[in-house]
Amino acid sequence: MFLYIIRRLVQMVPLVIGITFISFLIIQLAPGDYLDKLKMNPQISKETLEELRKAYGLDKPLLVQYFYWLLNALKFDLGYSFSYHVPVLELIRERIGNTLFLSITSGIMAWLLAVPLGIWAALNPNRWVDKFIQLFSFTFMSIPNFFLAFLLLFVAVKTGLLPTGGATSPNYEQLSMTEKILDRLWHVSLPAFVLAIGSLAGLVRLVRSAMIESLQSEYVLFARAKGLPEKEVIYKHALRNALNPFITLLGFEIASLLSGAALIEIIVNWPGMGMLMLDAVLSQDLYLVMGGLYIGAIMLIIGNLIADILLAKLDPRVRQREIEGVLR
């Protein structure tokens, strides 16, 4: 398992370099830069602009800029934000916790509901329960997350049942630890529900189809022929094998939650990475954009690594293939 993890980590290095280089190239291809906006200010001289350009390294060729940025990024020195005039890492550190909290909460909600609903539908194929769950799944798969967010935000404004912005209440610091936890969960409920519904709709269908296929397999028929209890057949044999593909899907689910969270954060005014990245892109804040993409790429890769490790733990065939690959 140790060699398996090392091999995966080594494979991640060119992936991070490729993601960041393409992102850096696309950002630089956009016309102008942050300093071009300062040219409109008559109080800023051309000499000052040139000094700023040299200070930020924008006077160097593109490849040289990327090379210096990459060397510093490997040490987690992501440079200074043009707009905020503070280290990029400090800005990301302030926001990334909220984005992770939102993504993890919505992911847990989606999986905790998708697995039992998918199993329930698979155990009752073509019955009213199955048809109702499929109707629910198709309905919410066809509704865009941003539209659902607007609807729930409208309901929250009209009813006042849910908060419509921010991650905490104004009196958060005066609350007890239990009250702080409840306050955070109350504020995250609306955006987390929107993200969870979007993931849940697709996951339910996948769990249902995988479980139906697993229940019809030979090893399940053999387990039933041996006289094993039905619960043991379903949860120990059928479910364990049906969930193998979903462990692989977990890594991509992390990526989709993070990317989907950015848009939802902007709509519901959640203080996460989404608003920060939008401001950075609009103001052409190069190092802030690159810092956000760099951290996002690392999180995506870590998510896929966790999924690979879990899959290798659950499926001996994966471990065997990796051992054979290392021996070669």
Side-chain angles (χ1 to χ4, degrees):
M1 183 59 70
F2 178 74
L3 293 176
Y4 176 79
I5 296 173
I6 294 297
R7 188 178 180 184
R8 282 285 182 268
L9 290 173
V10 171
Q11 292 172 352
M12 291 175 184
V13 175
L15 183 60
V16 171
I17 293 174
I19 292 172
T20 54
F21 178 72
I22 294 173
S23 301
F24 196 90
L25 182 63
I26 292 173
I27 295 168
Q28 292 286 50
L29 288 175
D33 55 34
Y34 176 77
L35 297 181
D36 286 341
K37 298 179 180 180
L38 301 181
K39 293 179 181 178
M40 305 298 292
N41 190 341
Q43 297 181 350
I44 301 177
S45 64
K46 291 183 179 180
E47 291 77 13
T48 303
L49 289 174
E50 286 301 319
E51 290 177 4
L52 288 172
R53 195 173 295 278
K54 290 180 181 178
Y56 286 117
L58 299 177
D59 59 326
K60 297 180 175 63
L62 188 146
L63 288 177
V64 176
Q65 289 184 45
Y66 173 73
F67 180 72
Y68 279 116
W69 177 86
L70 181 62
L71 288 179
N72 290 323
L74 292 175
K75 298 180 289 186
F76 280 89
D77 178 7
L78 303 179
Y80 276 76
S81 166
F82 300 159
S83 305
Y84 295 89
H85 308 292
V86 295
V88 170
L89 192 61
E90 183 178 324
L91 288 170
I92 293 175
R93 191 183 295 117
E94 291 175 357
R95 301 292 190 96
I96 198 168
N98 288 331
T99 295
L100 285 174
F101 179 60
L102 171 59
S103 300
I104 291 171
T105 303
S106 59
I108 291 173
M109 287 173 61
W111 282 82
L112 286 179
L113 290 172
V115 173
L117 286 176
I119 295 173
W120 195 15
L123 294 176
N124 301 276
N126 298 321
R127 297 180 182 176
W128 71 268
V129 172
D130 182 32
K131 292 179 180 179
F132 178 79
I133 292 174
Q134 288 196 66
L135 177 63
F136 165 84
S137 178
F138 282 119
T139 300
F140 284 99
M141 282 183 68
S142 61
I143 299 176
N145 276 358
F146 69 87
F147 182 70
L148 183 60
F150 278 122
L151 287 178
L152 291 179
L153 191 61
F154 176 77
V155 173
V157 170
K158 288 295 184 181
T159 62
L161 295 176
L162 292 173
T164 56
T168 57
S169 299
N171 63 334
Y172 179 77
E173 295 300 329
Q174 284 75 45
L175 300 176
S176 65
M177 182 58 66
T178 303
E179 289 173 334
K180 284 182 178 180
I181 294 172
L182 293 175
D183 185 69
R184 295 276 293 180
L185 291 174
W186 183 54
H187 278 79
V188 82
S189 57
L190 193 153
F193 178 77
V194 173
L195 285 174
I197 285 293
S199 298
L200 170 64
L203 286 173
V204 166
R205 294 183 67 247
L206 293 173
V207 172
R208 175 187 177 277
S209 59
M211 274 297 294
I212 289 176
E213 182 180 353
S214 183
L215 288 169
Q216 295 173 350
S217 60
E218 293 182 356
Y219 57 84
V220 170
L221 295 175
F222 179 70
R224 282 173 171 160
K226 287 173 62 178
L228 295 177
E230 188 65 14
K231 286 187 178 180
E232 185 176 345
V233 171
I234 293 172
Y235 295 106
K236 186 176 179 179
H237 297 279
L239 180 61
R240 181 173 180 178
N241 287 278
L243 288 182
N244 273 359
F246 296 97
I247 301 300
T248 305
L249 183 65
L250 181 63
F252 299 101
E253 187 71 13
I254 293 172
S256 64
L257 284 172
L258 289 173
S259 59
L263 179 58
I264 302 304
E265 285 175 3
I266 295 169
I267 294 172
V268 303
N269 195 26
W270 177 260
M273 290 291 293
M275 287 296 296
L276 185 67
M277 292 298 290
L278 177 64
D279 292 339
V281 171
L282 293 177
S283 61
Q284 292 184 299
D285 196 336
L286 172 64
Y287 296 129
L288 183 53
V289 174
M290 286 303 302
L293 291 172
Y294 179 66
I295 298 298
I298 291 175
M299 291 169 62
L300 170 60
I301 290 169
I302 291 174
N304 280 286
L305 177 62
I306 293 172
D308 289 340
I309 293 172
L310 290 174
L311 186 61
K313 278 283 188 183
L314 291 174
D315 195 340
R317 295 170 296 181
V318 176
R319 294 198 299 270
Q320 185 63 33
R321 283 198 298 267
E322 289 298 324
I323 292 172
E324 291 173 357
V326 172
L327 293 177
R328 288 173 190 170

